[in-house]
Amino acid sequence: MGQTFLDFVDRVLHLHDASDIKRLHLNIDGPVSSSRLSSWISAAVRHNVQELDLNLPGRTQFLLPRCLFTCESLLVFRLFMDYFLKAPSFIYFSSLKTLAFHSLTFSDDESTQNLFSNCPVLEELTLTYCGWKKMKTLTISIPTLKRLTIDDDPMWSDAADVLSCVVKIYTPNLIDLKFTSNLKIHFHLCELSSIVNAYINLLYEDMLQPDVYPRVIGVLRGICNVKRLTVSEDTVLSILDVENIVECLPTFHNMTDLELNAEFRSSFTEILINLLEKSPQLEFLDFAWGFDPDDIHDHNVDLMLERVPSHCSVKEFSLSCFEGKPTEMHFLKFLLKNATLLESMTLYIGPVLSEDLEKEVEVKNQLRAFPRGSESCTIELL
């Protein structure tokens, strides 16, 4: 970043007229002194900045000006900084609606607590690849929060000084949650009574300690009021490893939609049946990635046909990448027979089946011949 350009930014910000600065985006990819950066941000604060995006160089310590942390006009604040966040003792974002932190590290319990406790109208919070170094307990209690995204950094959570960190989240009016973590940091989801949408991605390959698995159940219990739930393949694998899963799994009293954001495997059958039994209001079931193409007809599929869920309220079922393979056909036979309220089954044909007209006709005939628990169910191949 050349000196001429730095001087130009100085002139623009410091000689700015009395009008407000609605948005300032600083993407610093070269050497800039902390004092100069601080003066730019301070100028924006003086001019009632409403949206501030700061992308600061990696592994460089910048002391953000104190006036930023009490800016009354700021509505949106996004900070990308691959270093420790040094926040002042007094923080109050009176108007802040959106807050996003990327790659920075929280290392002080008190200032971090002050940061999250003094955003009285915050509606959206995003924490992406943040570190929680030498912290013991943090409470994020934001009654106004509606959208929360946590994407935990596996690299940070491998460090010994973060394993005891507990982050308690109290957000009674939260609507949308996107949560990715290996749970080595204990995220305790509390009072999510209003949650509507949740995406849960528990990083199975990074879960090396047996004591992590009670936290898996803790996450599920924390979102038990959800209406629409999307789970990843890693999440299903994590649930599979939990002992006594039938006794531990919470009841999802409000859930109407369940989406598997992974290729279904026959080994997932038991978990699926448990979820069907624990979701009395479930109406829509979606296998968004179809079936695992390497999965073969094995003993798990036969067991699937033998164990009938005690309750299945599914009305709509959707399957992508449908190829008419034995595992798929066995599952569809099971569902058609046992989903007594099923109204529609939509199968999106994959590339192999779509090019084999004879096979497609054969598959359609097989589907028509399967016994039905619901005579009114329609099957559509798209």
Side-chain angles (χ1 to χ4, degrees):
M1 188 177 293
Q3 184 64 38
T4 302
F5 180 74
L6 296 178
D7 293 339
F8 168 75
V9 176
D10 278 338
R11 289 194 300 272
V12 169
L13 291 175
H14 293 295
L15 300 179
H16 190 74
D17 59 24
S19 62
D20 291 345
I21 296 176
K22 290 190 175 181
R23 182 185 180 192
L24 178 62
H25 184 177
L26 294 176
N27 187 1
I28 310 298
D29 60 359
V32 177
S33 68
S34 182
S35 60
R36 180 169 238 159
L37 176 65
S38 180
S39 71
W40 290 349
I41 297 172
S42 297
V45 171
R46 288 196 302 272
H47 287 279
N48 301 315
V49 64
Q50 295 181 11
E51 185 172 344
L52 182 61
D53 286 314
L54 300 178
N55 190 340
L56 307 182
R59 311 312 301 167
T60 303
Q61 176 65 66
F62 284 100
L63 292 177
L64 301 174
R66 290 178 177 268
C67 63
L68 170 62
F69 294 91
T70 54
C71 181
E72 295 181 357
S73 62
L74 196 60
L75 302 177
V76 178
F77 181 31
R78 302 184 185 95
L79 176 61
F80 184 114
M81 182 175 69
D82 191 12
Y83 209 78
F84 295 94
L85 176 66
K86 296 291 185 180
S89 57
F90 183 73
I91 302 169
Y92 194 72
F93 289 109
S94 60
S95 304
L96 194 67
K97 295 290 187 68
T98 300
L99 177 62
F101 290 142
H102 192 300
S103 294
L104 56 79
T105 302
F106 303 107
S107 59
D108 176 78
D109 289 44
E110 184 177 356
S111 64
T112 305
Q113 186 70 66
N114 287 339
L115 174 62
F116 290 115
S117 299
N118 290 288
C119 302
V121 295
L122 192 67
E123 295 182 356
E124 182 172 356
L125 174 63
T126 300
L127 303 173
T128 306
Y129 280 15
C130 291
W132 312 81
K133 193 173 179 64
K134 295 181 180 179
M135 296 186 64
K136 296 301 180 184
T137 302
L138 171 68
T139 299
I140 300 178
S141 180
I142 309 176
T144 57
L145 201 68
K146 295 180 180 178
R147 292 171 294 279
L148 173 63
T149 299
I150 295 177
D151 194 345
D152 199 19
D153 187 351
M155 179 188 70
W156 267 113
S157 56
D158 282 341
D161 55 4
V162 304
L163 297 181
S164 61
C165 181
V166 177
V167 180
K168 298 180 180 180
I169 299 173
Y170 294 87
T171 51
N173 292 299
L174 193 72
I175 295 174
D176 295 297
L177 172 67
K178 295 180 181 177
F179 184 78
T180 297
S181 176
N182 61 10
L183 297 182
K184 292 180 182 178
I185 296 172
H186 188 182
F187 289 97
H188 189 60
L189 306 177
C190 315
E191 298 183 7
L192 306 188
S193 54
S194 301
I195 189 167
V196 175
N197 305 301
Y199 169 74
I200 305 297
N201 180 23
L202 305 181
L203 304 177
Y204 176 74
E205 291 185 358
D206 292 314
M207 294 183 180
L208 302 179
Q209 308 138 287
D211 60 350
V212 166
Y213 294 107
R215 299 181 183 183
V216 173
I217 296 301
V219 170
L220 296 178
R221 288 176 177 166
I223 62 163
C224 67
N225 291 308
V226 70
K227 292 184 178 179
R228 292 185 286 271
L229 175 61
T230 300
V231 294
S232 68
E233 178 180 11
D234 272 7
T235 301
V236 178
L237 291 172
S238 301
I239 298 172
L240 281 172
D241 272 5
V242 177
E243 294 183 1
N244 302 317
I245 183 60
V246 177
E247 291 79 11
C248 297
L249 197 65
T251 298
F252 297 88
H253 291 285
N254 302 323
M255 187 162 69
T256 59
D257 295 43
L258 175 62
E259 177 182 329
L260 177 62
N261 198 18
E263 293 173 338
F264 187 83
R265 306 178 189 176
S266 55
S267 59
F268 294 174
T269 300
E270 190 70 16
I271 293 300
L272 176 63
I273 292 178
N274 290 332
L275 282 172
L276 290 176
E277 293 178 334
K278 295 282 189 172
S279 308
Q281 304 297 324
L282 187 66
E283 295 184 354
F284 180 65
L285 179 62
D286 183 18
F287 290 179
W289 289 13
F291 274 65
D292 185 344
D294 297 324
D295 201 19
I296 60 174
H297 178 196
D298 61 10
H299 184 60
N300 286 324
V301 180
D302 292 329
L303 287 177
M304 174 175 65
L305 295 177
E306 292 175 6
R307 185 190 164 190
V308 178
S310 59
H311 177 82
C312 181
S313 59
V314 174
K315 294 182 179 179
E316 299 178 52
F317 173 71
S318 176
L319 171 64
S320 298
C321 304
F322 175 60
E323 298 289 3
K325 293 183 177 180
T327 48
E328 295 172 308
M329 299 302 286
H330 274 71
F331 179 81
L332 297 180
K333 181 179 180 180
F334 161 81
L335 190 62
L336 285 167
K337 181 179 179 181
N338 296 290
T340 56
L341 301 179
L342 194 64
E343 297 174 356
S344 67
M345 176 179 286
T346 304
L347 310 175
Y348 295 93
I349 297 176
V352 176
L353 185 59
S354 65
E355 295 177 359
D356 190 339
L357 182 59
E358 184 177 343
K359 176 67 173 177
E360 183 179 336
V361 171
E362 178 187 345
V363 166
K364 288 181 179 179
N365 289 334
Q366 285 182 307
L367 290 170
R368 291 192 188 101
F370 285 159
R372 308 280 186 95
S374 170
E375 294 297 332
S376 62
C377 177
T378 61
I379 302 176
E380 187 174 16
L381 276 70
L382 301 177

